[in-house]
Amino acid sequence: MEPIYVTRSYLPKRSDFDRYLDRIWDSHWLTNQGQLHQEFAATLADLLGNCGVTLMTNGHLALEHALMALGISGEVITTPFTFASTTHSITLQHIKPVFCDISEKDLTMDADAIEPLITERTTAIMPVHVYGHVCDTDRISSIARKHSLKVIYDAAHAFGVKKDGQSVAQFGDMSMFSFHATKLFHSIEGGLLAYKDEKLKKTLDALKNFGIEDEETINLVGRNAKMNEFQAAMGLCNLSDLYEIIRERREIVMRYRENLAGVNGIRYFEPEANPDIEYNYAYMPILVDEAVFGRSRNQVYDNMKSRGIHTRKYFYPLITDFGCYREEYGDVSLPVARRSAQQVLCLPIYNGLGMETVDLICNLLKN
Ligand SMILES: *Cc1c(COP(=O)(O)O)cnc(C)c1O
């Protein structure tokens, strides 16, 4: 059997992509806010509704630009149960990350644990809609309002997720979406900032292009984080397939749930059980409770791997246990995050994964 990986990048119809390539060859315009970049940004602005949008070359730089544009400094309250990028963006901006535990319910930041972490140096909260699970946005925004904090959502996993019929981009001061090739919707590499205050657009556009405002004006010290035309072409192609992509992933997730329902010691999530939520089926995380299931998450991972099924311990280790953070943060008390990192396993999910393969993976898991 061919090995099965946890994900496989989506590719649009080759002929659709070729039509965009023809336009690039006609225009000789490869980057710097080209036609396709503008079209992609306009389509995304329509889709997300009611917010400013700025495209970047990747999600990580978008996060750093969010912190820069909002002038964040001092301390930022964030989650340890995420991809390295979230914390690195804070650290690289010379800000101190302050780790908040996560909620048992959906593994997003535990809103009840935020307030005790606020100090006079706190300027922002950076929660993550992990796996596309929507954070407790109401509580987070009321805490932020009470303490005059900014909120930047790492929404890397949450493209296509809606609450009350609107995109998750409506929450907080800014949201970052990642369009990396491994995400459910991608532009090869790519990132997007969505924000309430449309005045930020000018700052972000300058910051991502060396601070250049016009040919003779540079007032900000900026980097290069521009998205190019090939990325925008891939994004435009994939965007027209978005609802089909989500529909197919939903079927895969449903098949997993049918197979795993009632298996003692295996827990999965059903975000759309909340009628306000439209989920994107981005990931298939499960929690393996060794005491009940009889085998540990690591044993399940190893067994599957020996059969050519590559699951992923996403997220393990916790950020606070990484070599670069351990010394300073290794002792922070984060009981739920720590237990979840020991139990979590992401099962393969990608467009094109057959139902018989899902059944096979579940049978291996159960036996
Ligand atoms: C993918 C990801 C990022 C980084 O996005 P890139 O586009 O890969 O730079 C940040 N945070 C989370 C939670 C992610 O999954």
Side-chain angles (χ1 to χ4, degrees):
M1 194 181 79
E2 288 279 303
I4 306 286
Y5 295 100
V6 71
T7 190
R8 190 181 75 174
S9 294
Y10 181 81
L11 281 173
K13 275 226 303 285
R14 180 67 185 268
S15 54
D16 290 348
F17 193 61
D18 283 345
R19 269 198 293 278
Y20 285 106
L21 292 187
D22 289 342
R23 286 176 57 188
I24 297 177
W25 258 254
D26 287 344
S27 70
H28 270 258
W29 196 300
L30 308 189
T31 186
N32 287 8
Q33 327 275 23
Q35 231 180 57
L36 299 182
H37 178 287
Q38 289 174 38
E39 250 176 70
F40 189 31
T43 316
L44 288 164
D46 260 4
L47 184 81
L48 300 180
N50 209 12
C51 59
V53 298
T54 300
L55 284 166
M56 305 256 169
T57 195
N58 62 52
H60 176 82
L61 282 173
L63 274 182
E64 286 202 48
H65 279 74
L67 293 163
M68 285 188 258
L70 291 170
I72 306 301
S73 62
E75 296 177 3
V76 170
I77 296 172
T78 188
T79 165
F81 193 76
T82 181
F83 182 55
S85 169
T86 317
T87 315
H88 286 349
S89 73
I90 297 169
T91 307
L92 285 165
Q93 287 301 310
H94 309 288
I95 301 163
K96 184 179 159 65
V98 174
F99 294 99
C100 179
D101 206 1
I102 58 174
S103 126
E104 195 99 56
K105 183 174 75 98
D106 57 10
L107 312 185
T108 66
M109 188 183 277
D110 178 2
D112 287 327
I114 296 174
E115 277 195 298
L117 300 174
I118 297 175
T119 72
E120 68 274 17
R121 285 172 48 77
T122 311
T123 55
I125 309 174
M126 189 184 279
V128 179
H129 298 304
V130 66
Y131 310 123
H133 302 169
V134 182
C135 294
D136 190 346
T137 51
D138 293 341
R139 291 283 314 287
I140 291 171
S141 72
S142 83
I143 293 167
R145 216 175 311 116
K146 183 169 153 200
H147 298 273
S148 304
L149 305 176
K150 300 283 187 199
V151 180
I152 300 169
Y153 281 104
D154 179 336
H157 295 176
F159 193 73
V161 176
K162 291 182 181 175
K163 186 175 171 185
D164 301 324
Q166 276 186 295
S167 162
V168 287
Q170 72 189 294
F171 300 115
D173 296 280
M174 266 200 207
S175 295
M176 179 283 283
F177 296 92
S178 164
F179 300 157
H180 184 259
T182 54
K183 306 303 205 256
L184 97 156
F185 165 75
H186 75 88
S187 59
I188 309 173
E189 295 260 8
L192 178 78
L193 288 177
Y195 39 90
K196 292 250 171 60
D197 180 0
E198 305 246 4
K199 288 195 299 293
L200 290 167
K201 179 158 184 56
K202 204 172 149 229
T203 309
L204 286 165
D205 281 347
L207 283 175
K208 72 169 181 180
N209 187 27
F210 308 105
I212 298 170
E213 280 170 49
D214 63 46
E215 270 179 61
E216 301 189 0
T217 317
I218 296 188
N219 291 319
L220 292 167
V221 182
R223 291 168 169 71
N224 177 5
K226 298 185 300 283
M227 175 177 278
N228 69 49
E229 290 292 274
F230 293 82
Q231 292 174 284
M234 183 62 84
L236 282 163
C237 282
N238 289 342
L239 201 52
S240 43
D241 298 346
L242 179 65
Y243 291 102
E244 183 51 29
I245 291 173
I246 293 178
R247 193 198 57 74
E248 192 185 333
R249 298 178 82 101
R250 179 178 178 279
E251 281 184 13
I252 295 168
V253 168
M254 291 301 165
R255 187 73 163 219
Y256 270 119
R257 290 182 190 167
E258 274 169 38
N259 271 294
L260 298 177
V263 177
N264 289 328
I266 299 288
R267 196 183 140 205
Y268 55 79
F269 300 89
E270 293 176 279
E272 78 284 6
N274 176 345
D276 303 336
I277 300 289
E278 271 176 65
Y279 184 47
N280 64 357
Y281 305 92
Y283 295 90
M284 184 62 214
I286 59 167
L287 295 174
V288 181
D289 182 347
E290 183 179 3
V292 181
F293 188 60
R295 269 161 296 144
S296 69
R297 184 275 314 271
N298 287 349
Q299 285 173 311
V300 173
Y301 171 89
D302 291 339
N303 282 342
M304 303 267 252
K305 193 169 170 181
S306 70
R307 307 292 194 89
I309 312 279
H310 299 265
T311 61
R312 202 170 155 207
K313 301 174 198 176
Y314 193 63
F315 297 99
Y316 171 86
L318 275 194
I319 301 268
T320 46
D321 288 339
F322 287 167
C324 50
Y325 293 118
R326 197 163 43 215
E327 206 170 312
E328 200 166 350
Y329 304 102
D331 294 336
V332 178
S333 167
L334 299 160
V336 182
R338 203 160 279 286
R339 185 170 68 242
S340 306
Q342 292 297 335
Q343 295 189 339
V344 75
L345 194 67
C346 281
L347 303 179
I349 177 168
Y350 49 83
N351 291 79
L353 181 66
M355 295 301 166
E356 65 296 338
T357 311
V358 174
D359 294 345
L360 183 121
I361 293 168
C362 293
N363 286 334
L364 266 179
L365 181 76
K366 288 189 277 192
N367 305 311

